[in-house]
Amino acid sequence: TALPKEAGVYLMKNGKASVIYVGKAKSLKSRVSSYFVNSASHTPKTKKLVSEICDFEVIITKTEVEALLLERTLIKHHQPPFNILLRDDKEYPYIKVDMKSPWPRISKVRKRRDDNSTYIGPYGEVAKLNLIMAMMYRIFPLIRCSKHEFDNTKRPCNYYHMKMCLAPCVLDVDKD
């Protein structure tokens, strides 16, 4: 079969046409064909997978990130036995912007909730999410402490001294 060189997702199927594995690839051609060449270097799990593959399907995506998110969705839908990650409740992270608190907060969360907060994401790469959050904290002097720390602290934290927090937990700060 002539496989496309584009990014995408592939679904491996057994003799009963059940999806047994879902994967993503930067290049579908090189990734899918890697299962069927040089099998001596495969792990026992991969050898078992390859022995059960009778058919496969590919879905081309525009980007690698789109492939990553589609892979997650397909794993959750099909629950393939050879995908051990992402079958449980793990989710890709979001940035949660909570404006209903007395002082706005941003946080990294794995579940979107119906709580009137704004959610940005999902992020396929946690490192990029962490970079975005670090930049937001540098630009906006938002509180970083937990509700318990905020309610019980007696003095400003180090972020206040670095001019990265206004310390509304202990100082009289105008909400505007």
Side-chain angles (χ1 to χ4, degrees):
T1 303
L3 291 164
K5 292 182 180 178
E6 290 87 6
V9 174
Y10 54 93
L11 294 88
M12 302 294 194
K13 298 178 180 183
N14 64 12
K16 297 176 184 173
S18 297
V19 175
I20 58 174
Y21 185 75
V22 177
K24 67 184 174 315
K26 186 178 353 181
S27 166
L28 286 165
K29 182 178 182 85
S30 62
R31 181 66 185 122
V32 173
S33 58
S34 74
Y35 286 97
F36 305 104
V37 294
N38 197 14
S39 61
S41 64
H42 290 331
T43 65
K45 176 189 163 203
T46 304
K47 287 178 183 177
K48 175 77 171 134
L49 168 65
V50 171
S51 74
E52 292 187 25
I53 296 171
C54 289
D55 194 13
F56 61 87
E57 177 182 339
V58 297
I59 302 169
I60 298 172
T61 60
K62 291 180 182 173
T63 65
E64 289 178 63
V65 173
E66 188 179 317
L68 180 75
L69 298 174
L70 178 58
E71 176 195 36
R72 179 196 79 174
T73 302
L74 291 171
I75 290 171
K76 293 209 178 279
H77 176 74
H78 292 288
Q79 297 283 306
F82 285 91
N83 288 96
I84 54 173
L85 298 176
L86 295 177
R87 285 196 321 193
D88 53 16
D89 290 336
K90 288 187 177 132
E91 295 283 340
Y92 287 110
Y94 293 84
I95 294 175
K96 176 183 177 180
V97 182
D98 181 4
M99 296 298 287
K100 69 181 182 334
S101 292
W103 295 96
R105 293 177 179 269
I106 60 170
S107 55
K108 181 171 43 174
V109 297
R110 296 250 177 205
K111 291 244 186 225
R112 290 179 66 147
R113 304 211 186 283
D114 189 15
D115 59 1
N116 294 324
S117 295
T118 300
Y119 291 87
I120 304 166
Y123 289 88
E125 296 182 44
V126 177
K128 285 185 180 176
L129 169 66
N130 291 336
L131 181 65
I132 290 168
M133 291 207 38
M135 288 186 341
M136 284 197 294
Y137 278 128
R138 268 189 242 121
I139 296 167
F140 304 106
L142 300 170
I143 59 171
R144 301 174 190 221
C145 53
S146 70
K147 184 171 175 13
H148 176 75
E149 291 169 327
F150 186 88
D151 292 341
N152 295 301
T153 191
K154 305 281 188 252
R155 58 190 172 90
C157 65
N158 287 336
Y159 291 114
Y160 169 77
H161 296 292
M162 294 185 297
K163 302 197 181 328
M164 297 173 80
C165 179
L166 300 175
C169 52
V170 293
L171 301 176
D172 187 25
V173 177
D174 181 10
K175 287 195 181 199
D176 290 337

